Amino acid sequence: IFFELLKNSMRAVVERHKDKPHLIEPVSVVIADGEEDVAIKISDKGGGIPLSGMERLWTYTFTTAGNTAEKLNQITAPGRPVMAGFAHGLPLSRI
């Protein structure tokens, strides 16, 4: 799940500032350990997920990365790896 959250944060920041790359701020990761647990906080300036999407956030059909069918077509484009938009990352990372 950690990789998916980091990847999603980085994508959101880059996409939000695509017209002004000099404004891209780093993704912040804070790890705090307790006596019996660990807390991990990932923060970014990517704009967040709309409240309307929160209920479906962990489902296999929800993505903020655009049309999944378009992403499937992009896979065959040379030199253009697609790492987002399939709506599988977060749900699979919970298994």
Side-chain angles (χ1 to χ4, degrees):
I1 198 167
F2 188 72
F3 175 77
E4 284 300 317
L5 293 174
L6 277 175
K7 183 181 68 140
N8 289 351
S9 282
M10 290 186 289
R11 180 187 57 81
V13 170
V14 169
E15 286 181 1
R16 182 172 184 165
H17 300 292
K18 64 184 170 194
D19 297 329
K20 300 175 185 170
H22 60 282
L23 295 178
I24 292 177
E25 295 185 38
V27 171
S28 170
V29 179
V30 176
I31 302 173
D33 63 332
E35 290 184 28
E36 296 183 18
D37 55 5
V38 174
I40 301 171
K41 177 182 176 184
I42 300 174
S43 304
D44 63 59
K45 301 289 184 177
I49 296 170
L51 288 176
S52 61
M54 295 305 280
E55 186 175 308
R56 301 177 307 148
L57 183 63
W58 297 97
T59 67
Y60 286 102
T61 59
F62 179 74
T63 180
T64 61
N67 185 308
T68 301
E70 291 174 11
K71 301 296 179 186
L72 290 170
N73 289 332
Q74 290 176 4
I75 289 177
T76 58
R80 294 192 62 193
V82 177
M83 293 187 63
F86 296 108
H88 287 84
L90 289 177
L92 283 175
S93 66
R94 294 184 80 185
I95 295 177

